[in-house]
Amino acid sequence: GAVVSQHPSWVICKSGTSVKIECRSLDFQATTMFWYRQFPKQSLMLMATSNEGSKATYEQGVEKDKFLINHASLTLSTLTVTSAHPEDSSFYICSADSGSDTQYFGPGTRLTVL
Amino acid sequence: QKEVEQNSGPLSVPEGAIASLNCTYSDRGSQSFFWYRQYSGKSPELIMSIYSNGDKEDGRFTAQLNKASQYVSLLIRDSQPSDSATYLCAVDAGNMLTFGGGTRLMVKP
């Protein structure tokens, strides 16, 4: 149980384009999902907390207009990186709260912006 | 600011030995504590959760919590080369996890 999926697992795009990443909880409903970013050899950095049916809460320094988050249902949250640039290249990981204060992570999406 | 501190390592242990990973946290209000394992290029995988003082054992893994000292540890018995990974300590103080920087463990055959 407690499986979280992400799609796509790997994406390469040109600078200036937008990329959408999906995060799904497959066997449980998640009222809260989280989006993290991880640069090579660094720890996870929380970007935003996503609650179903409401606006996401962004961490300090994260541009909400650049990283659009939509939590449309109890099993799906999306992160759209708008006008991506090479410095946005990173490993993006979502997690979902199962309701027991435990977060389960998706497999991650590796974004490379050329 | 809530902080979670871990020694970055690498911690190198021989196969079959006990690996001891340590973590301290700053927020005394923290209630839930987690250890995640992250292999290179992969996302974190939950290993253990602990909520009350004392030890919690699960197979070769034992989590230890001391809230008075604001200290949580993870022991891995009979370490295997496949245990080589980065171990992340995470502390929850209200529906949000704060991660430590992780300790890189290397188990040598």
Side-chain angles (χ1 to χ4, degrees):
Chain A
V3 179
V4 178
S5 70
Q6 273 184 251
H7 178 80
S9 56
W10 197 302
V11 58
I12 301 173
C13 69
K14 293 182 179 180
S15 184
T17 60
S18 294
V19 176
K20 179 185 281 189
I21 303 170
E22 290 188 351
C23 176
R24 294 181 184 272
S25 56
L26 298 185
D27 51 1
F28 65 99
Q29 293 183 330
T31 54
T32 306
M33 289 184 171
F34 303 85
W35 287 95
Y36 295 86
R37 180 168 54 183
Q38 187 175 36
F39 292 106
K41 300 191 184 299
Q42 295 187 22
S43 189
L44 293 168
M45 295 299 295
L46 178 66
M47 299 176 66
T49 302
S50 168
N51 291 294
E52 186 265 340
S54 62
K55 291 183 178 180
T57 302
Y58 291 81
E59 294 300 299
Q60 192 172 11
V62 178
E63 300 176 57
K64 63 179 181 180
D65 294 331
K66 181 170 181 63
F67 299 99
L68 301 178
I69 292 173
N70 187 316
H71 194 156
S73 74
L74 289 173
T75 60
L76 173 64
S77 177
T78 61
L79 167 68
T80 301
V81 183
T82 62
S83 187
H85 291 283
E87 57 266 30
D88 298 323
S89 298
S90 189
F91 191 39
Y92 291 86
I93 311 171
C94 73
S95 70
D97 188 329
S98 65
S100 59
D101 292 333
T102 301
Q103 288 186 32
Y104 294 92
F105 285 86
T109 297
R110 193 163 299 282
L111 171 64
T112 301
V113 184
L114 303 178
Chain B
Q1 185 172 348
K2 301 172 185 175
E3 294 182 350
V4 179
E5 300 287 342
Q6 293 181 255
N7 188 318
S8 62
L11 171 66
S12 182
V13 300
E15 184 175 358
I18 296 175
S20 178
L21 305 164
N22 304 315
C23 172
T24 59
Y25 59 95
S26 63
D27 185 2
R28 283 194 171 275
S30 301
Q31 297 295 321
S32 307
F33 307 85
F34 305 87
W35 282 99
Y36 288 86
R37 177 176 61 198
Q38 187 175 24
Y39 292 112
S40 181
K42 303 294 184 181
S43 68
E45 172 190 10
L46 180 67
I47 298 176
M48 294 280 289
S49 59
I50 187 166
Y51 305 96
S52 55
N53 282 326
D55 295 359
K56 179 181 178 182
E57 186 176 319
D58 184 0
R60 295 187 295 114
F61 300 97
T62 299
Q64 300 174 319
L65 175 62
N66 184 324
K67 290 185 178 180
S69 300
Q70 295 174 242
Y71 175 92
V72 58
S73 65
L74 179 70
L75 301 178
I76 306 175
R77 290 182 299 280
D78 188 23
S79 294
Q80 301 297 310
S82 58
D83 295 326
S84 298
T86 296
Y87 289 80
L88 300 170
C89 171
V91 176
D92 187 339
N95 201 35
M96 190 179 84
L97 288 181
T98 301
F99 284 87
T103 298
R104 184 179 165 212
L105 173 66
M106 297 173 60
V107 181
K108 296 188 175 182

